Amino acid sequence: MTEPTLTHIDEKGQARMVDVSEKAHTEREARAMAVIHMLPNTLQMIMDGTHKKGDVMATARIAGIMAAKRTPDLIPMCHPLMLTSVKVELEPNVDNNCVEIVAICKLVGQTGVEMEALTAATTAALTLYDMCKAVDKGMVIDQVQLLEKKGGKSGHWTR
């Protein structure tokens, strides 16, 4: 078995975009998460819908979807992709004073959607932070990670 290599580095050590023109079009899916921790009263305000900025969960969901679609504008070596589905789920967790975010991206294409899922989850968390920072500047975003990927040459991977 060959040693894994960094695909975005050429033989001279320079950054490059991977050539995917010879790869087969396959169904691909990625699931990523992020968690944003906050004060109990901040979470309660979000859950009750009493935040003066409105439905912050809906705004964060839309921001995550939009971010997935704009990933190549943010991450230099990402290919522009024709996403077929982006879902962003936000679940309040009262026991841990946080909102757990899971993003799922799908497409039929020649490269994976891991970066799109990670970007969606992170951007949803950042949007919650932005909308709630006036009442809770101490929020913490963590646990940003890929949970699962399906499709492509490397097959199915799960955390």
Side-chain angles (χ1 to χ4, degrees):
M1 182 164 176
T2 60
E3 198 61 31
T5 60
L6 297 173
T7 57
H8 289 85
I9 305 294
D10 69 13
E11 60 280 348
K12 296 178 185 173
Q14 299 173 335
R16 69 175 177 121
M17 182 182 240
V18 175
D19 182 355
V20 298
S21 57
E22 300 298 318
K23 288 184 167 187
H25 283 79
T26 61
E27 288 184 22
R28 296 163 185 265
E29 178 178 331
R31 192 166 51 93
M33 72 174 287
V35 176
I36 181 165
H37 300 270
M38 59 195 66
L39 295 172
N41 62 325
T42 307
L43 182 58
Q44 196 62 52
M45 185 182 299
I46 291 170
M47 292 177 1
D48 292 344
T50 58
H51 195 289
K52 67 179 181 179
K53 291 188 178 181
D55 187 346
V56 297
M57 297 283 257
T59 304
R61 185 177 300 105
I62 292 166
I65 293 167
M66 290 175 64
K69 295 173 10 176
R70 301 298 302 247
T71 299
D73 294 335
L74 301 169
I75 311 297
M77 301 305 164
C78 284
H79 293 82
L81 301 177
M82 291 296 297
L83 297 168
T84 57
S85 175
V86 178
K87 294 179 183 168
V88 178
E89 301 163 351
L90 296 97
E91 187 66 38
N93 180 327
V94 178
D95 293 336
N96 294 312
N97 298 313
C98 65
V99 176
E100 298 167 348
I101 303 159
V102 174
I104 303 163
C105 295
K106 295 181 183 181
L107 62 63
V108 175
Q110 296 169 289
T111 189
V113 290
E114 297 92 335
M115 292 308 300
E116 287 71 14
L118 286 161
T119 301
T122 304
T123 301
L126 287 168
T127 301
L128 287 176
Y129 186 96
D130 181 50
M131 295 188 76
C132 297
K133 69 183 183 261
V135 296
D136 187 357
K137 290 179 181 28
M139 291 176 285
V140 174
I141 297 168
D142 66 9
Q143 297 181 52
V144 176
Q145 59 190 296
L146 183 67
L147 298 173
E148 181 179 25
K149 68 144 306 274
K150 297 177 185 176
K153 188 172 83 172
S154 62
H156 188 186
W157 178 88
T158 186
R159 178 165 303 283

